[in-house]
Amino acid sequence: MLALAWMGAGAGFVGRLTCRLRPWTEVAVLALYGWIWGFLYGAILNLWFWPFQRPGPGTESALSWTPGMSAADTLQHYWSFYVATSFGWDAAGALANAAIILAVGRPLLRTLRRHAHRLDPVAVLDPRPA
């Protein structure tokens, strides 16, 4: 859930930065963002089990983490694990993200901007007791 929250918050931030660009440029930047997050999301999700995945007894693996490893060795082992297990799947997801954003991004942004005033929360604070 945190990874999805980071992705959504980043998308909102990118949207604020790109809202003054030409429509196709904005959609291209958002498609690039979706492509990058296709890989990043998969890499973050692998972290929930990668440190606990172990090879058989008495063997050492270039894919697993062991306590006391240096940061460089940890990154090298994680990269090997990611490429061996998830890179192909995440590449397909990243490509699908970019393709969907390119296909529906412009009309969707136009619709959301047209109805943006309805999305603004309105709160009336009345200091008088009820």
Side-chain angles (χ1 to χ4, degrees):
M1 287 191 306
L2 286 175
L4 279 175
W6 295 335
M7 181 177 58
F13 182 68
V14 169
R16 286 192 178 268
L17 293 176
T18 61
C19 66
R20 303 221 190 287
L21 296 176
R22 293 188 340 236
W24 280 114
T25 307
E26 181 180 18
V27 170
V29 170
L30 290 172
L32 177 64
Y33 179 80
W35 182 78
I36 291 169
W37 263 98
F39 292 104
L40 195 56
Y41 183 75
I44 291 170
L45 286 190
N46 284 343
L47 290 175
W48 77 268
F49 71 91
W50 173 70
F52 309 107
Q53 168 260 337
R54 296 276 184 250
T59 61
E60 192 168 317
S61 172
L63 302 179
S64 62
W65 176 79
T66 54
M69 289 175 69
S70 68
D73 285 342
T74 299
L75 287 175
Q76 180 183 6
H77 282 228
Y78 183 71
W79 177 249
S80 299
F81 173 81
Y82 178 71
V83 169
T85 60
S86 301
F87 185 77
W89 182 262
D90 293 343
L95 185 61
N97 286 349
I100 290 169
I101 291 169
L102 288 173
V104 301
R106 192 165 180 205
L108 183 62
L109 286 172
R110 186 173 38 238
T111 302
L112 289 174
R113 289 206 173 105
R114 188 173 65 231
H115 295 289
H117 67 281
R118 295 180 187 177
L119 301 174
D120 288 334
V122 176
V124 177
L125 301 175
D126 191 6
R128 294 176 288 156

